Amino acid sequence: MDNVRLLKTIPALRADDIKILAEWYRDAMGFEILFLWGDPAEYAVIRRGPVEFGIARQDALFGPISTYTYVEGVDALHAELVGRGVSASRSPSVQPYGMKDFDVTDPSGNRICFGEATEESDAVGG
């Protein structure tokens, strides 16, 4: 096992219309669309900085997801997204687990929590 390294994971958000959700992430959240596969789109990959998400069809086997994304500058990110018209479920606040975070739910029901480690945090990435 010493020669095995897991490099990264790309969670796949779920959507009824993949192209429309990819465009929402581009226009509202500042992501870039790396590719749309198929016509109509059956899969997409979007990226902002080092964070990538896939977007796949929502069906009976795969529903919406929830993911936690570690960031630096959580207050600035919140202000940027609100300025773009994105509705966050709450303002950034320090949680008992040592992270300052807020949540966004996209138009397809996928929940993304953006969090930054506080000085008191012993959380991964903190």
Side-chain angles (χ1 to χ4, degrees):
M1 294 267 317
D2 289 338
N3 61 350
V4 175
R5 289 185 336 145
L6 300 179
L7 299 177
K8 69 177 178 177
T9 185
I10 301 175
L13 307 173
R14 302 298 174 179
D16 293 323
D17 188 312
I18 293 159
K19 184 175 187 260
I20 287 176
L21 189 60
E23 290 170 346
W24 182 85
Y25 271 90
R26 180 194 63 208
D27 299 340
M29 301 280 285
F31 280 71
E32 65 178 308
I33 299 171
L34 296 182
F35 71 85
L36 293 166
W37 177 74
D39 187 19
E42 294 182 39
Y43 192 76
V45 175
I46 58 174
R47 175 178 64 202
R48 178 166 173 171
V51 174
E52 292 183 10
F53 294 112
I55 303 174
R57 182 129 349 260
Q58 183 168 314
D59 58 27
L61 294 176
F62 300 101
I65 69 153
S66 175
T67 186
Y68 198 97
T69 302
Y70 287 85
V71 301
E72 292 180 354
V74 71
D75 291 314
L77 178 61
H78 179 265
E80 175 196 332
L81 298 182
V82 168
R84 290 173 169 264
V86 175
S87 178
S89 63
R90 58 189 168 86
S91 296
S93 55
V94 176
Q95 302 301 317
Y97 43 86
M99 298 293 288
K100 185 175 188 180
D101 56 27
F102 69 96
D103 305 321
V104 170
T105 301
D106 72 25
S108 289
N110 300 293
R111 179 183 163 270
I112 303 173
C113 186
F114 295 98
E116 179 173 38
T118 63
E119 290 184 15
E120 303 83 33
S121 176
D122 60 0
V124 174

